[in-house]
């Protein structure tokens, strides 16, 4: 590991004892208790509240916002592993006291933020970007958080703690990330998936990475209940987003977006909303940047739910005065098919802080929004379709204004959802009127036949 | 576009007229003819030879190797589109006179080069890295070349040339890249695919991007024959790797690898070999780096073919004295299921220059090699499996030595090959003894059942 590339900042490889930065777990209900991030604890043993990682902001303030920006910019696309990572290039903000030899990195982060010029014109927006978090090792934004969680577990094991395995319930993406990072770190992984409710592509990823894959005849929420029971055993470590460590990695997505926009804050960030860990993470990164002077204002957040799994939306309608878990119905947006989101409480805090809105998308809306973006060169997962559908709705009713600059977070690669894509273009999706369907033309291997098909398409498409 | 980030080098946004660098097409048979890269020409009209892009090396030599390294390194940290691209950050070497407004970029390149520590230990190698070209917008290395080809077409159209559509034959990856880049650039795309010989994931990508998809009842070579006939019409532009423009983008993979290794040349680069454009591109980038003083020696190249589609291997066995196209048999490595590679002639030149070897992998070997790597945190496509199998063979017979530093090029994301992965772990692949198969365990949603399954796994896996 060559530390000379960090000449402009502190050496990230500095040992724990000499590391001035620090973080710890604290209870989000404000009861004042603190725990080590290397403790096996997911809720406050005093009051039962969720835990968050808190950083020593006083020490972080020894650098100005400008100095932090310069430091992070200097580390963009550093070529050394693990500092080529978009997460670990912000190590002081993520998990400062982790020993470098325990970092489990698969080159996460540094994903493209693409300007969506055709879509912004169609929507009548000033600027629209899509942050492609799915262009990653396991194909979703979950890599950002999992690198932190698995690295912390590696540190715990190296510190002598007995951890036999790491466990999660998943709608697909989390288990893929857990499988890959654990395989790389040499730590056993156990994943509980709702049988027949995740795509084959998502099911086979943790299998390939050697995880113990348990397919349960229930939904995500049912898997989650059992996982929580399992994690009562302190040698089985819990990887779900109830565990706040993943948020520490995921929050870097907001920092990356700001870097890519030259630290100019957009007016809105639109994000798919299921278990809500990603919403909290995004908010946390942005807050920390404002607190430490890297940005001077906050964007507004828009959460996109599937109409068939919309507990946050329903709660938003009564200004979060009431919250009722719902029984999530089957939706194409399977990664957000969650009726009782683990991070509801945290997410409401985030939405209040960011003047957030929540909107929902029907199956027809999310499938057509994804296809519309695909026609302009993207390849959107159904969750990103929900986010785009919500964007179009909010623009349509004037909540997002034409002059606004908007970032949409694409949470996974479309390649994880081939049956969704194929079903759409073959017109086989229930409750979806596939407005942008495009069918292949079957032909014999004959020049005249091919030329004829092209001529017909020329007339149709105006080539 | 902020040019200040290029303060250390020439402004990439400089107009064609003021751009000192230049490139052109020349005939590889040495007949001396030159053509513009904006001409619609794929073979030398004089002698029928393939064409290559040649760069004005004299002007490029105005910078020393050290200066080019420093310049390229400085641009790895750029966040602006399109210069966040691993291809366009080397624009002077790729397509210097292209007007910036015609760049069609989807954030290609800058993919991780991951150290494969577990695999290198198992193989008894000193250093092994895997270059993950599939962690990209369309999921394969083809993005690198397609950004150049589609940008050049955009330039042609903007210069007033009539191009009605861009066409390609494909085993899947090329058509996905063509579809996405054309959709982004607003140019019609036509793709010819061998029906039932590409995966559903690969078939649906160009459909989603709005390409005209023609599924022909033949193999890749049959599609290629018809595409060549179509491209006799100068308004239908040919995107296959017969077209040398794609090689200009693909050659940056070698530059990226060297950057990621701090310009230290590995002993070997192992690469899957089908149509052979990627082999030539890799060689071209490396040669250019040596010629211009960025590196001081060349690595050796090892080409990996599937046993069922092995014309290059058969020719290698007689020292390339004879070449016979073969009828490619169905292989799991569908992206290299090619019996008559377009770039055979170029590839032989490359292999001679790089003291190259060619080896083949059986279905069993490539499937098990991919699965073995997956167990260590990767998610390999079958072509990468072939490359890894060939690596293991070459190490086994001492051709690659324990002290050697080796890079394996992973050409596509495993997510493009879900049926391959699922088939492997379900033990359903013909002629494959799935040594690393890992099956899911179906269970009722019951804590005791889950705990029991974990206990049995603990015994089995020693958790």
């Amino acid at each position: 590991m060559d530390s000379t590339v960090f000449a402009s900042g502190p050496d990230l490889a500095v040992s724990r004892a000499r590391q001035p930065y620090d973080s710890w777990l604290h209870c989000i209900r404000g009861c004042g208790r603190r725990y080590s991030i290397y403790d096996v604890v997911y809720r406050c043993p005093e009051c039962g509240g969720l835990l968050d990682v808190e950083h020593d902001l006083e020490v972080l303030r020894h650098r100005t916002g400008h100095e932090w920006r310069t430091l992070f910019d200097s580390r963009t696309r550093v070529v050394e592993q693990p500092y080529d990572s978009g997460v670990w290039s912000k190590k002081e903000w993520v998990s400062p006291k982790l020993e470098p030899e325990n970092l489990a990195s698969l080159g996460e982060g540094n994903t493209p933020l693409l300007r969506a010029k055709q879509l912004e014109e169609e929507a009548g927006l000033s600027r629209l970007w899509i942050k492609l978090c799915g262009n990653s090792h396991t194909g979703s934004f979950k890599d950002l958080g999992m690198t932190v969680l698995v690295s912390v577990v590696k540190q715990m094991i190296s510190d002598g703690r007995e951890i036999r395995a790491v466990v999660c319930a998943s709608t697909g993406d989390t288990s893929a990330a857990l499988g890959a990072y654990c395989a790389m770190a040499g730590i056993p992984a156990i994943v509980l998936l709702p049988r027949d409710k995740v795509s084959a592509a998502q099911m086979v990823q943790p299998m390939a990475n050697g995880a113990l894959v348990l397919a349960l005849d229930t939904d995500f929420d049912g898997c989650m209940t059992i996982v929580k029971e399992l994690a009562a055993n302190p040698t089985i470590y819990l990887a779900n987003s109830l565990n706040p460590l993943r948020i520490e990695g995921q929050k870097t997505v907001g920092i990356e977006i700001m870097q890519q926009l030259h630290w100019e804050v957009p007016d809105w960030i639109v994000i798919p909303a299921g278990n809500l860990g990603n919403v909290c993470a995004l908010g946390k990164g942005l807050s920390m940047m404002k607190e430490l002077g890297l940005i001077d204002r906050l964007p507004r957040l828009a959460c996109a739910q599937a109409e068939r799994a919309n507990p946050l939306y329903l709660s938003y309608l009564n200004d979060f005065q009431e919250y009722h878990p719902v029984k999530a119905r089957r939706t194409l947006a399977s990664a957000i098919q969650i009726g009782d989101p683990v991070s509801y409480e945290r997410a409401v805090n985030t939405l209040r802080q960011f003047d957030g809105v929540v909107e929902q998308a029907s199956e027809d809306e999310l499938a057509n929004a994804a296809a519309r973006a695909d026609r302009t060169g993207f390849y959107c997962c159904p969750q990103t379709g929900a986010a785009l559908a919500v964007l179009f709705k909010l623009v349509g009713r004037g909540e997002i204004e034409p002059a606004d600059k908007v970032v949409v977070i694409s949470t996974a690669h479309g390649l994880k959802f081939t049956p969704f894509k194929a079903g759409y273009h073959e017109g086989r999706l229930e409750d979806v009127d596939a407005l942008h369907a495009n069918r292949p033309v079957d032909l014999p291997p004959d020049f005249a036949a091919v030329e004829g098909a092209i001529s017909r398409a020329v007339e149709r498409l105006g080539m």
Side-chain angles (χ1 to χ4, degrees), chain A:
Chain A
M1 225 164 280
D2 182 353
S3 68
T4 58
V5 292
F6 301 109
S8 62
D11 186 348
L12 290 180
V14 73
S15 74
R16 262 194 283 188
R18 294 195 297 121
Q19 177 59 259
Y21 305 105
D22 200 5
S23 64
W24 52 80
L25 298 171
H26 80 132
C27 173
I28 69 167
R29 291 192 184 150
C31 77
R33 297 275 165 173
R34 286 187 181 181
Y35 309 91
S36 161
I37 67 163
Y38 304 106
D39 284 343
V40 179
V41 54
Y42 317 108
R43 283 188 180 273
C44 178
E46 296 294 317
C47 73
L50 287 175
L51 300 172
D52 260 357
V53 176
E54 192 170 58
H55 287 263
D56 184 346
L57 291 181
E58 285 318 303
V59 184
L60 288 167
R61 279 204 188 88
H62 291 175
R63 279 170 193 275
T64 66
H66 178 75
E67 285 167 344
W68 280 116
R69 287 201 303 262
T70 306
L71 178 65
F72 290 160
D73 281 346
S74 77
R75 288 182 189 157
T76 304
R77 298 237 169 80
V78 166
V79 292
E80 283 80 10
Q81 234 187 303
Y83 303 120
D84 57 349
S85 152
V87 172
W88 295 110
S89 56
K90 285 101 189 168
K91 183 166 183 273
E92 297 91 336
W93 288 36
V94 169
S95 191
K97 287 197 184 285
L98 196 79
E99 295 286 2
E101 65 268 26
N102 290 318
L103 287 184
S105 173
L106 292 166
E108 52 288 328
N110 287 324
T111 51
L113 178 75
L114 290 190
R115 181 86 176 271
K117 288 198 182 178
Q118 293 176 60
L119 283 183
E120 82 192 14
E121 277 171 30
E122 286 175 34
L125 274 173
S126 133
R127 296 278 175 97
L128 174 64
W129 294 268
I130 302 185
K131 176 67 173 171
L132 296 174
C133 298
N135 291 16
S136 77
H137 192 74
T138 75
S140 89
F141 76 101
K142 304 276 182 174
D143 290 3
L144 299 175
M146 207 53 83
T147 183
V148 177
L149 184 134
V150 173
S151 298
V152 168
V153 172
K154 214 175 157 196
Q155 180 74 57
M156 290 178 184
I157 292 171
S158 124
D159 291 348
R161 188 179 286 276
E162 190 200 357
I163 304 278
R164 288 188 305 156
V166 185
V167 68
C168 76
S170 175
T171 53
D173 291 332
T174 302
S175 54
L178 182 67
Y181 282 86
C182 280
M184 188 268 180
I187 298 169
I190 303 169
V191 309
L192 276 67
L193 294 168
R195 184 159 62 215
D196 303 330
K197 289 187 187 70
V198 303
S199 70
Q202 291 178 303
M203 181 87 174
V204 79
Q205 285 182 281
M207 283 162 55
N209 292 135
L212 175 62
V213 177
L214 306 177
L216 268 57
D217 199 8
T218 178
D219 59 8
F220 170 79
D221 300 299
C223 292
M224 195 61 223
T225 304
I226 292 178
V227 160
K228 283 186 199 163
E229 284 184 74
L230 285 174
N233 177 337
T235 69
I236 305 284
Y237 192 74
L238 175 72
N240 276 94
S241 64
L242 177 65
N243 186 323
L245 294 175
R246 281 175 42 208
I247 287 181
E248 295 309 289
Q250 288 179 22
K251 78 182 181 198
T252 62
V253 72
I255 309 177
E256 259 186 48
I257 290 170
M258 293 305 147
Q259 281 190 287
Q260 288 170 309
L261 296 176
H262 289 268
W263 309 98
E264 277 183 33
V265 182
D267 299 292
W268 286 90
I269 298 181
V270 187
I271 186 167
N275 217 14
L276 304 179
N278 61 345
V279 177
C280 304
L282 177 64
K284 188 170 186 190
L286 293 167
S287 293
M288 206 163 158
M289 288 166 75
K290 178 145 185 290
E291 186 123 23
L292 291 169
L294 284 76
I295 54 175
D296 55 8
R297 67 187 185 96
L298 296 177
R300 293 185 67 186
L301 298 187
C303 288
Q305 290 221 291
E307 196 178 287
R308 293 188 177 175
N310 61 354
L312 184 70
Y313 174 73
L314 294 176
S315 179
Y316 169 75
L317 291 182
N318 62 47
D319 201 22
F320 303 123
Q321 295 308 303
E322 284 181 42
Y323 166 66
H324 304 288
V326 302
K327 183 82 186 167
R329 286 175 292 155
R330 182 180 283 264
T331 166
L332 294 164
S334 56
I336 52 174
Q337 185 177 320
I338 293 169
D340 188 10
V342 167
S343 297
Y344 170 80
E345 202 176 330
R346 282 193 196 112
V348 170
N349 290 342
T350 303
L351 286 168
R352 290 207 165 112
Q353 189 190 351
F354 285 79
D355 193 10
V357 302
V358 185
E359 186 48 87
Q360 63 180 3
S362 68
E363 299 298 283
D364 184 75
E365 288 166 343
L366 69 88
N368 278 306
R372 186 173 161 188
D374 289 355
R375 283 297 182 105
T376 71
F378 292 91
Y379 196 63
C380 296
C381 72
Q383 296 72 238
T384 305
L388 288 167
V390 161
L391 167 70
F392 299 145
K393 277 187 176 179
L394 295 177
V395 172
R397 70 167 184 247
E399 187 130 13
I400 293 181
E401 296 181 28
D404 286 346
K405 293 174 183 161
V406 182
V407 173
V408 170
I409 294 191
S410 173
T411 44
H413 204 295
L415 283 170
K416 287 197 161 191
F417 294 89
T418 295
F420 162 68
K421 295 286 181 197
Y424 180 90
H425 289 286
E426 290 162 9
R428 285 190 287 100
L429 299 183
E430 260 179 55
D431 302 320
V432 173
D433 179 15
L435 301 175
H436 309 282
N438 181 30
R439 298 295 311 272
V441 182
D442 287 339
L443 291 173
D446 171 72
F447 177 67
V450 168
E451 211 179 26
I454 292 174
S455 297
R456 287 190 296 279
V458 165
E459 278 176 39
R460 192 163 44 87
L461 305 174
M463 280 179 188

